[in-house]
Short mmCIF file of all heavy atoms in Angstrom, two decimals:
data_model
loop_
_atom_site.label_atom_id
_atom_site.label_comp_id
_atom_site.label_asym_id
_atom_site.label_seq_id
_atom_site.Cartn_x
_atom_site.Cartn_y
_atom_site.Cartn_z
N LYS A 100 109.95 86.13 -136.86
CA LYS A 100 108.97 86.41 -135.76
C LYS A 100 109.03 85.29 -134.73
O LYS A 100 109.02 85.59 -133.52
CB LYS A 100 107.59 86.54 -136.33
CG LYS A 100 106.56 86.81 -135.27
CD LYS A 100 105.16 86.99 -135.82
CE LYS A 100 104.19 87.22 -134.67
NZ LYS A 100 102.85 87.54 -135.16
N VAL A 102 111.51 83.16 -134.02
CA VAL A 102 112.77 83.18 -133.28
C VAL A 102 112.78 84.32 -132.30
O VAL A 102 113.23 84.11 -131.09
CB VAL A 102 113.95 83.30 -134.28
CG1 VAL A 102 115.27 83.56 -133.44
CG2 VAL A 102 114.11 82.04 -135.11
N LEU A 103 112.38 85.50 -132.66
CA LEU A 103 112.35 86.62 -131.76
C LEU A 103 111.39 86.35 -130.58
O LEU A 103 111.71 86.68 -129.38
CB LEU A 103 111.97 87.92 -132.47
CG LEU A 103 113.05 88.45 -133.40
CD1 LEU A 103 112.49 89.67 -134.21
CD2 LEU A 103 114.33 88.84 -132.68
N SER A 104 110.25 85.79 -130.87
CA SER A 104 109.27 85.47 -129.82
C SER A 104 109.84 84.51 -128.83
O SER A 104 109.65 84.69 -127.63
CB SER A 104 107.97 84.91 -130.45
OG SER A 104 107.35 85.85 -131.33
N VAL A 105 110.47 83.45 -129.32
CA VAL A 105 111.01 82.47 -128.42
C VAL A 105 112.14 83.02 -127.59
O VAL A 105 112.41 82.65 -126.45
CB VAL A 105 111.50 81.23 -129.24
CG1 VAL A 105 112.34 80.27 -128.38
CG2 VAL A 105 110.33 80.51 -129.89
N SER A 106 112.86 84.00 -128.17
CA SER A 106 114.06 84.60 -127.53
C SER A 106 113.76 85.49 -126.34
O SER A 106 114.66 85.81 -125.56
CB SER A 106 114.90 85.43 -128.55
OG SER A 106 115.31 84.52 -129.58
N ALA A 107 112.53 85.90 -126.14
CA ALA A 107 112.20 86.94 -125.17
C ALA A 107 112.60 86.41 -123.73
O ALA A 107 113.27 87.20 -122.99
CB ALA A 107 110.76 87.25 -125.18
N LEU A 148 117.98 92.90 -122.12
CA LEU A 148 116.64 93.60 -122.06
C LEU A 148 116.21 93.98 -123.47
O LEU A 148 115.01 93.91 -123.71
CB LEU A 148 116.77 94.75 -121.09
CG LEU A 148 116.89 94.44 -119.60
CD1 LEU A 148 117.10 95.71 -118.81
CD2 LEU A 148 115.63 93.71 -119.13
N LEU A 149 117.10 94.47 -124.28
CA LEU A 149 116.70 94.88 -125.63
C LEU A 149 116.12 93.71 -126.44
O LEU A 149 115.07 93.84 -127.02
CB LEU A 149 117.87 95.51 -126.34
CG LEU A 149 117.64 95.97 -127.78
CD1 LEU A 149 116.58 97.10 -127.83
CD2 LEU A 149 118.94 96.41 -128.43
N VAL A 150 116.82 92.58 -126.37
CA VAL A 150 116.31 91.40 -127.09
C VAL A 150 115.01 90.94 -126.49
O VAL A 150 114.09 90.53 -127.20
CB VAL A 150 117.38 90.28 -127.12
CG1 VAL A 150 116.82 89.01 -127.74
CG2 VAL A 150 118.59 90.73 -127.92
N ALA A 151 114.88 90.97 -125.15
CA ALA A 151 113.65 90.55 -124.53
C ALA A 151 112.46 91.44 -124.97
O ALA A 151 111.39 90.96 -125.28
CB ALA A 151 113.80 90.57 -123.01
N ILE A 152 112.73 92.74 -125.06
CA ILE A 152 111.68 93.70 -125.48
C ILE A 152 111.32 93.44 -126.94
O ILE A 152 110.10 93.38 -127.28
CB ILE A 152 112.08 95.12 -125.23
CG1 ILE A 152 112.15 95.38 -123.67
CG2 ILE A 152 111.23 96.15 -125.92
CD1 ILE A 152 112.84 96.73 -123.34
N ILE A 153 112.32 93.29 -127.76
CA ILE A 153 112.06 92.99 -129.19
C ILE A 153 111.32 91.70 -129.35
O ILE A 153 110.35 91.61 -130.16
CB ILE A 153 113.33 93.00 -130.03
CG1 ILE A 153 113.96 94.40 -130.07
CG2 ILE A 153 113.16 92.41 -131.41
CD1 ILE A 153 115.40 94.47 -130.61
N GLY A 154 111.66 90.70 -128.57
CA GLY A 154 110.93 89.39 -128.56
C GLY A 154 109.50 89.57 -128.18
O GLY A 154 108.56 88.95 -128.80
N MET A 155 109.22 90.38 -127.15
CA MET A 155 107.84 90.57 -126.69
C MET A 155 107.03 91.31 -127.76
O MET A 155 105.89 90.98 -128.01
CB MET A 155 107.80 91.38 -125.40
CG MET A 155 108.39 90.64 -124.20
SD MET A 155 107.40 89.15 -123.83
CE MET A 155 105.91 89.92 -123.21
N ILE A 156 107.64 92.29 -128.42
CA ILE A 156 107.00 93.04 -129.49
C ILE A 156 106.68 92.07 -130.65
O ILE A 156 105.55 92.08 -131.19
CB ILE A 156 107.81 94.21 -129.98
CG1 ILE A 156 107.90 95.28 -128.87
CG2 ILE A 156 107.30 94.82 -131.28
CD1 ILE A 156 108.91 96.39 -129.14
N ALA A 157 107.63 91.22 -130.99
CA ALA A 157 107.39 90.23 -132.05
C ALA A 157 106.25 89.28 -131.70
O ALA A 157 105.39 88.91 -132.52
CB ALA A 157 108.67 89.47 -132.35
N ALA A 158 106.22 88.88 -130.44
CA ALA A 158 105.17 87.93 -130.02
C ALA A 158 103.79 88.54 -130.05
O ALA A 158 102.85 87.84 -130.29
CB ALA A 158 105.54 87.43 -128.58
N TYR A 159 103.72 89.85 -129.73
CA TYR A 159 102.43 90.51 -129.61
C TYR A 159 102.01 91.25 -130.92
O TYR A 159 101.05 91.98 -130.88
CB TYR A 159 102.37 91.37 -128.39
CG TYR A 159 102.24 90.57 -127.15
CD1 TYR A 159 103.40 90.22 -126.46
CD2 TYR A 159 100.97 90.19 -126.72
CE1 TYR A 159 103.24 89.50 -125.27
CE2 TYR A 159 100.90 89.42 -125.53
CZ TYR A 159 102.02 89.08 -124.85
OH TYR A 159 101.91 88.33 -123.73
#
Side-chain angles (χ1 to χ4, degrees):
K100 179 179 180 176
V102 170
L103 290 173
S104 298
V105 171
S106 297
L148 289 175
L149 179 64
V150 173
I152 290 167
I153 291 169
M155 293 297 291
I156 290 169
Y159 286 93

